[in-house]
Amino acid sequence: MGTLLVAPVFHEDELFSNYVSRVSAANGARSAVEFCQDMGVRFQSLVDGDGPSVSRMLELTRQEHRANAVGIARREDRTLTFGSETLLRSNLSRHRLRVCPHCLDEDEASDQGYGGARAYGRLAWVPAFVRTCRKHGNMLVPLPEATGFGSVHDFATRLELARPTWRRYVNAAAAAESSGLERYVEDRLLGRERNSIWLDRLPLYAAGRLTELVGATITHGRDFVTASLGEREWLEAGRRGFEITSAGPESFREFLRTLHDKFWDRQGDFGGRLIYGRLYEMLAHENEDLVYDPIRDLIRETAVSSLPIGPDHRLFGVSSPRRWHSVRSVTKEFGLHHKTARKMLVAAGLIEADADTDDSRTLVEAGEMETFVRRWQSSLKTDAAREYVNISRSSWEIVLKEGYVKPLIEGYRQHGVAPLFSLDELDRFVARLEAAASAEPPSGGDFVRLQVAVKRASARLSEILHLLFEGKLGSANMEVGEQGFEAVRVNVSDVILTLQVHRGAYPSGQGRG
């Protein structure tokens, strides 16, 4: 057999299996399945885009130039690819074949093609994400179920079943404005020129699914029941969701942050399902598709950047480095009593003194929190701190008064906490002493401890410390075998001479020890 005498034109926006069904009807066959058998091909092979079968049918219909038509599907396991766009088989409305009656009436009223086989099924009607006719502004309506003629894909035969009661289908096409998501899916599927957006990074099936989940969360809450939503509700979900997803990743992040209200409103501790609802459930437990990994990463990053998520919280099975600590999380991690921790954090100015703020919802940047807690836990009380730097009580009081050592909490009295001194602050003070008294020990001269020099030079300790740290006592040194404050040695004559030169020249802020 060469070519068919009767062969309709294969439209640019037509699904190939629908076209074959029209060819069958135009040639007077009872069904597309029987017609294809007569042609030596299987109808299902044409539905699935089998290369040799498609080529044979294009040859029969003199449509060889349409070998790369977008309406010819290529099936691979769970997916069908049209041109460069991929949809899941579960995304396709083929058993429940939907049409726009007004489009089909216009087709039949035209003078193109063969009477009774002019109406054709649009590729844009196949994705379940599309529920309206963009041209006529109405809902799509389903054709009769496929019974008794072999294939749900036999468009022309199913349309013929509807003809006796066609007015009912026309009346069922209720007015409805197409959504941004539907227009996006249609344009992308048909390869129409358009501006590139963030959603383009996802396969078409993922872009549609994500958008509808976002929209359904907005319109019906994070715990919506998928099966409870009808066509109109999914249409609105796609419309609202596309406002978010079409605007880019920051818009999506902002949407995610709106779902954090359950955490801030004390409706439970953190959990992916609790916070993000069906969106999280689908991505974490119902779908392992790797194409959604960028979305999972974005959700994880948003949660970590906004909430006290730590390595013990696993989002999508992955632990994340902590960016925020709550009072509750830091007490748990560092073994602190929550009342003591809150009191110290307030005293340190890291959190507000707000008794109404729940411990698990009072946040501090993780690095800042951990640095403070580690300093706090390693800090020494007064007597231990004096012993650490090897200094007498009277000298210690002068050192504190002059600000050479600062307590961990400078306003500890006002906050009702004990004075504590961090090891790094004490080490810094000792290092400063050692740097100021770094001269080589002399072979002679009257070198004495600082408190002895105070008496012999009739000076104040604060004066001598000022000279020491300003580098005015060039012969100051550290006694071998001793450490800390008591190891410093100064020459009395040097102190006296230097004081005579510099007395009265100290800054007004210096104390008088």
Side-chain angles (χ1 to χ4, degrees), residues 308-321:
I309 310 302
D312 53 333
H313 295 99
R314 298 181 69 84
L315 284 172
F316 305 112
V318 178
S319 61
S320 303

Side-chain angles (χ1 to χ4, degrees), residues 344-357:
M344 287 294 290
L345 293 170
V346 169
L350 294 179
I351 66 173
E352 297 293 330
D354 184 356
D356 293 332
T357 305

Side-chain angles (χ1 to χ4, degrees), residues 31 95 143-154 157-158 161:
S31 73
H95 287 267
L143 290 178
E145 292 293 330
T147 55
F149 52 88
S151 176
V152 297
H153 308 293
D154 194 344
T157 304
R158 292 181 68 173
L161 288 177

Side-chain angles (χ1 to χ4, degrees), residues 19 28 33 59 86 161 180 190 201 235 287 304 348 358 382 470:
Y19 170 67
V33 172
E59 180 184 349
T86 301
L161 288 177
L190 295 174
R201 300 178 187 179
L235 173 63
N287 194 317
V304 170
D358 187 85
T382 298
E470 287 293 311

Side-chain angles (χ1 to χ4, degrees), residues 196-431:
S196 176
I197 61 174
W198 175 60
L199 278 181
D200 294 346
R201 300 178 187 179
L202 297 174
L204 186 56
Y205 68 84
R209 178 66 168 151
L210 175 67
T211 297
E212 288 195 336
L213 285 173
V214 169
T217 300
I218 295 171
T219 56
H220 295 278
R222 76 198 77 207
D223 297 315
F224 69 91
V225 179
T226 302
S228 69
L229 304 188
E231 290 293 282
R232 286 276 185 177
E233 288 150 322
W234 280 118
L235 173 63
E236 186 60 24
R239 191 187 317 280
R240 296 291 300 278
F242 193 70
E243 293 172 0
I244 303 297
T245 58
S246 65
E250 187 50 45
S251 174
F252 183 65
R253 287 190 189 96
E254 188 56 38
F255 157 73
L256 294 173
R257 293 185 194 107
T258 67
L259 302 180
H260 296 169
D261 58 345
K262 270 198 172 184
F263 176 82
W264 298 119
D265 293 343
R266 306 185 186 186
Q267 297 179 36
D269 200 353
F270 177 83
R273 178 68 175 83
L274 173 73
I275 302 298
Y276 301 116
R278 283 285 301 126
L279 177 62
Y280 182 85
E281 193 172 67
M282 188 279 283
L283 292 172
H285 305 301
E286 298 175 6
N287 194 317
E288 297 180 356
D289 196 332
L290 298 181
V291 302
Y292 289 104
D293 278 355
I295 304 303
R296 295 183 182 102
D297 291 342
L298 209 157
I299 293 173
R300 188 185 304 108
E301 290 167 5
T302 302
V304 170
S305 67
S306 306
L307 300 170
I309 310 302
D312 53 333
H313 295 99
R314 298 181 69 84
L315 284 172
F316 305 112
V318 178
S319 61
S320 303
R322 184 184 294 280
R323 295 187 197 172
W324 294 98
H325 256 303
S326 66
V327 175
R328 179 177 177 181
S329 66
V330 81
T331 55
K332 180 180 178 181
E333 183 169 328
F334 289 90
L336 306 172
H337 190 280
H338 70 98
K339 289 185 178 179
T340 303
R342 177 173 280 276
K343 190 173 185 179
M344 287 294 290
L345 293 170
V346 169
L350 294 179
I351 66 173
E352 297 293 330
D354 184 356
D356 293 332
T357 305
D358 187 85
D359 283 349
S360 64
R361 289 155 178 82
T362 305
L363 306 189
V364 177
E365 193 275 324
E368 186 178 12
M369 176 77 93
E370 291 172 5
T371 297
F372 171 75
V373 171
R374 289 192 177 98
R375 292 187 74 212
W376 168 26
Q377 290 191 315
S378 65
S379 291
L380 303 178
K381 294 182 179 179
T382 298
D383 289 345
R386 288 196 302 102
E387 182 179 349
Y388 189 84
V389 299
N390 194 21
I391 190 171
S392 67
R393 186 179 300 277
S394 58
S395 297
W396 176 251
E397 290 175 358
I398 299 303
V399 166
L400 293 185
K401 183 178 179 181
E402 293 300 308
Y404 294 119
V405 173
K406 298 182 184 299
L408 180 69
I409 307 295
E410 294 197 45
Y412 60 87
R413 289 188 178 90
Q414 300 94 300
H415 292 287
V417 297
L420 294 171
F421 301 91
S422 66
L423 289 179
D424 59 349
E425 177 72 3
L426 298 175
D427 288 337
R428 184 192 62 79
F429 175 63
V430 172

